[in-house]
Amino acid sequence: DTVLTQSPALAVSPGERVSISCRASEGVNSYMHWYQQKPGQQPKLLIYKASNLASGVPARFSGSGSGTDFTLTIDPVEADDTATYFCQQSWNDPNTFGAGTKLELK
Amino acid sequence: QVQLQQSGTELVKPASSVKISCKASGYTFTSNYMHWIRQQPGNGLEWIGWIYPGNGNTKYNQKFDGKATLTADKSSSTAYMQLSSLTSEDSAVYFCARSGYGDWFAYWGQGTLVTVSS
């Protein structure tokens, strides 16, 4: 299976820019997607196919990358962005998710 | 608007089975793949498989072959997942999620907590 590696946690101050990385163990073309999950809630799609903003998602969120290295950027970070962020690839079978990056605000 | 409403919390005994449901509304149920995803306590997300309600075709993550069985009822726009031979390892929140033209998930159910305990 394709393993997606994310850093476990990040802490930033409101108003700053933060980049969350996701590295795939093998190429996934541009089929990398990003989700935000808050405690007790279902995940919410933020970005699909590496760089496409999902409907209703603020333009503060953006995605980039291709192949094996991908980045989710939030600029500027707001207090409500405290959450865990997951990447997911759908190029290789089976679909796999990263373990998540927990974003905390200082 | 698209909504996926899942059945409630289940407390089940080891070695038993459980069937959870996901009722879809706000779109044509038979025209989109329905996926199931597991989230174990404190852990990440695992894709279990999908069903295409239009023709009943299914695809499973090999890890869940024999553990999960996906079905769908077109008359009630409801997808089901049955989990069998339950162990404590199956204790988790299970989500249904709809994909669009690619396997990313813009719509999710609220999740069903399954706890396996004697």
Side-chain angles (χ1 to χ4, degrees), chain A residues 11-94:
Chain A
V12 297
S13 298
E16 291 185 344
R17 169 189 170 115
V18 65
S19 292
I20 298 171
S21 67
C22 178
R23 174 164 287 177
S25 61
E26 57 188 322
V28 300
N29 201 314
S30 62
Y31 284 78
M32 186 67 78
H33 325 297
W34 291 93
Y35 301 85
Q36 176 194 67
Q37 187 179 34
K38 297 181 179 181
Q41 295 184 16
Q42 65 270 53
K44 174 187 175 182
L45 178 68
L46 299 175
I47 300 288
Y48 64 95
K49 284 192 72 179
S51 60
N52 296 278
L53 195 66
S55 176
V57 175
R60 302 185 293 106
F61 293 88
S62 62
S64 62
S66 67
T68 60
D69 289 294
F70 297 83
T71 302
L72 171 71
T73 300
I74 311 172
D75 187 16
V77 172
E78 296 183 357
D80 188 51
D81 298 335
T82 299
T84 300
Y85 293 84
F86 293 96
C87 54
Q88 175 228 343
Q89 68 81 24
S90 62
W91 181 250
N92 300 311
D93 182 40

Side-chain angles (χ1 to χ4, degrees), chain B residues 37-104:
Chain B
I37 292 151
R38 178 173 87 172
Q39 186 166 37
Q40 291 173 310
N43 285 1
L45 299 155
E46 292 180 284
W47 177 76
I48 296 170
W50 57 248
I51 183 166
Y52 188 72
N55 57 18
N57 283 356
T58 55
K59 181 179 176 65
Y60 296 93
N61 182 337
Q62 211 169 3
K63 177 176 181 177
F64 293 92
D65 231 342
K67 169 63 67 177
T69 302
L70 306 183
T71 57
D73 178 2
K74 289 189 276 191
S75 67
S76 63
S77 298
T78 303
Y80 298 93
M81 178 174 66
Q82 178 162 320
L83 300 167
S84 61
S85 305
L86 292 166
T87 72
S88 59
E89 281 293 301
D90 297 313
S91 294
V93 176
Y94 292 85
F95 294 100
C96 59
R98 200 206 85 174
S99 60
Y101 64 91
D103 278 2
W104 54 89

